[in-house]
Amino acid sequence: MPSTLYCWVLISLVAADRPDVIINDFEAETYGAWKTQGTAFGNSPARGTLPGQMEVTGFQGKGLVNSFLGGDDPKGTLTSPPFTIERNHLNFLIGGGGYPGETCINLLVNDYVARTATGPNRNAGGSERLEWASWDVSNLVGKTAVLQVVDNRAGGWGHINVDQIVQSDRPRGVAPKSRELTVSRRYLMLPVDNNAEVRRLTIRQGETILRDLDIKLADGHASFTVPVDLANAQGKKVEVSTRLPAGSKALEALAFSDKLENDLAIEARRPVYHFTSRRGWLNDPNGLVYFDGEYHLFYQHNPYGWDWGNMHWGHAVSADLVHWQELGDALIPREYGDMAFSGSAVVDDKNSSGFGKGGKPPLVLAYTSTGRGECIAYSNDRGRTWSEYERNPVIKHSGRDPRLLWHAPSKQWVMAVYDEGPKRQSIDFHTSPDLKTWTFRSRIDGFFECPDLFELPVEGQAGRSYWVLTAADGEYMLGSFDGARFTPAPGYEKKRRLWYGNYYAAQTYSNTPDGRRIQVGWASGVTFPGLPFNQQMNVPVELTLRETKDGVRMFGEPVAELKRARTGGFERSDLTLKPGLNVIDGVTGDAFSVEAEAEVPVNGSITLNARGVPVVYDAAKKTITCLDVSAPLSLEDGKLRLQMLVDRGSVEVIANGGLVILSKGVAFKGGVRPLEIIATEGVKVGRLSVDEFGKGK
Ligand code: FRU
């Protein structure tokens, strides 16, 4: 029907949006022509959260109006210069107190309040998130107006936050919306759209809040769906509430399901031997402990989105560190905004905590509850369910990421925990007889987040060992530890680096059956665009100390289990390489490991090229490089040992037996040879082996 089409084209031409008119985005250094009275607003826009305030989110850029300056009590106003209303809607971000006339923004026309709005909060708890609000000002177009931000209230939620005031042809405001559902299957599936705005969504059963979370709730197109486990509310009514723009159908897309598996097309792109969560975001490995035949891998997890947020402890178990079974989340935020940050786990063999039951030792974990401090939880069912110690938190301080360990010589528990001051980033050491009462012992400066502390023997030197202290960036220091204080070993005061590239917040396993020191890092920044999960763990490595010509160094090599998980491969020996000649063929998959031992002349170079991604050793420069990740590396008697681990999202390079490891996230392109080896004249490859993974299963 051409006439209908014609009308539609005409309407959309007429209705095409004019550009927005920004009144103030508060990014400038000063308030400019806006005038303040009183003290609550300071002399210039705030830069995010103010001292003593819960984290402020949802504002745009760096600056915003935030009247929490000096706390809730100070009062004041902030008034704009006059402006002309040129669009039908005035949109802005607003948060803070919900008191009309007292914590509000007013639109004044002819000195009268023509429109007003407040933040959402009146009760303790609540959220410092700014949300969009809109006024329909169509009847005021052409008039001159003034905006006034008011903080005339002291005490709880006696402040107001505003940002991004914009005149627009379209409204952006949100209003409360809810939907009641009867739980008919185990999982409530929430649709996520990676490009949508973050909304706070609350699931209640009667008065009880079951979940209170942030989610980029889809309204129409969904990138993927995420499950909320409602096993305990089967057949019951739940209410899902959030704030949505007028006309939004987001809540209509909620559905129940018994199925968690992703489509096969998605699974075909998941890394084969690197851990990824089934859905959602992951970061730090947490609570690494071996117990009763299982390696536990807990991890920082956002079950409800592709980005960081809503920190839970996800949970997976494995018998071999290669094949993982994902279990339900182990720790969930206690209340909105009180997240479960990183921590560690131990087996309390002697039941010093008294948490054990029926003669079986409990698993005990320590984690940071962002709203409380360092907290303890325990499990009597092999980590499947966890109970909080009733007197949490056990330590309150300015820090996070508790690492528990048993110090045998002094027969006590130790907690190494990150602590910070205005000009200090440190690791604190506390001790305890029972994992419940803790005493501060000492502090070492110069380490940031996620400490780990363990003792390692120097290989082949009976009786010689060092304590290794690491933090999130992976740099390590060798020293001694007497149960209370870490002292750098003479000559080892300088930190050293083993890992380079996509690697962060690593932790080692406690209680391994064979005494191996196994480390797992977060391959921070290895992303999976278009898939329902994001980020991966690094390959688990066994750590050792070895004497080198430069002194004792920490080495990391993939755990032996990885080799055992191979599903195919081959070995070649004594290859002489010529420029331009590729001597390897027959590799087909997208998950494999190549090991090469090569003699490289002083000015020579060798390149292993896996799926189009080169790893280059340059003997003249003494560097090993994979794309933009590079590390210094010398030959050992003219020889180079290289292992290149290729998986669907990454390359890891283990050089000279694990003295140096490179980690690089890669979005591989199709249509290139799986493996090439290229070298300058005179390079000899004594041994080359390929292990393939993920085939023939
Ligand atoms: C390190 C870290 C930790 C914190 C956690 C939060 O990556 O910032 O310090 O506990 O992540 O997810």
Side-chain angles (χ1 to χ4, degrees), residues 490-504:
Y492 291 94
E493 294 82 0
K494 184 170 153 11
K495 288 190 227 165
R496 302 278 167 192
R497 179 171 285 290
L498 158 58
W499 283 85
Y500 295 77
N502 296 115
Y503 166 88
Y504 199 71

Side-chain angles (χ1 to χ4, degrees), residues 67-232:
S67 77
F68 195 76
L69 191 68
D72 271 322
D73 291 351
K75 297 179 181 175
T77 57
L78 173 67
T79 309
S80 78
F83 64 96
T84 306
I85 298 185
E86 297 170 60
R87 301 282 186 274
N88 287 341
H89 300 278
L90 213 132
N91 303 335
F92 49 91
L93 286 162
I94 188 162
Y99 296 98
E102 294 182 294
T103 56
C104 59
I105 178 168
N106 297 326
L107 181 75
L108 306 180
V109 178
N110 298 334
D111 290 338
Y112 285 99
V113 177
R115 300 284 185 281
T116 187
T118 70
N121 301 291
R122 282 168 173 242
N123 300 321
S127 163
E128 286 280 19
R129 167 174 285 283
L130 280 73
E131 298 268 13
W132 283 105
S134 292
W135 290 322
D136 183 335
V137 287
S138 47
N139 67 330
L140 300 173
V141 169
K143 297 231 169 0
T144 301
V146 162
L147 282 163
Q148 189 183 42
V149 189
V150 178
D151 178 353
N152 198 19
R153 188 176 173 101
W157 288 113
H159 67 275
I160 179 86
N161 301 335
V162 173
D163 195 17
Q164 212 68 23
I165 306 172
V166 174
Q167 300 204 55
S168 178
D169 280 331
R170 280 178 196 272
R172 293 195 70 167
V174 289
K177 274 221 172 137
S178 63
R179 182 173 169 199
E180 196 178 71
L181 296 155
T182 303
V183 182
S184 58
R185 297 184 187 196
R186 178 158 177 182
Y187 302 104
L188 173 64
M189 305 306 287
L190 306 174
V192 174
D193 172 3
N194 287 333
N195 296 316
E197 289 191 25
V198 176
R199 313 215 177 273
R200 178 174 174 184
L201 181 139
T202 312
I203 305 173
R204 287 188 182 79
Q205 185 185 343
E207 295 294 292
T208 311
I209 294 178
L210 300 180
R211 295 286 190 289
D212 202 350
L213 52 96
D214 287 331
I215 184 169
K216 288 185 172 174
L217 193 66
D219 195 354
H221 162 81
S223 312
F224 58 99
T225 58
V226 291
V228 182
D229 189 345
L230 295 178
N232 297 330

Side-chain angles (χ1 to χ4, degrees), residues 8 41 88 181 370 405 469 503 528 653:
W8 183 82
F41 293 92
N88 287 341
L181 296 155
T370 55
L405 59 131
L469 185 62
Y503 166 88
F528 298 94
V653 181

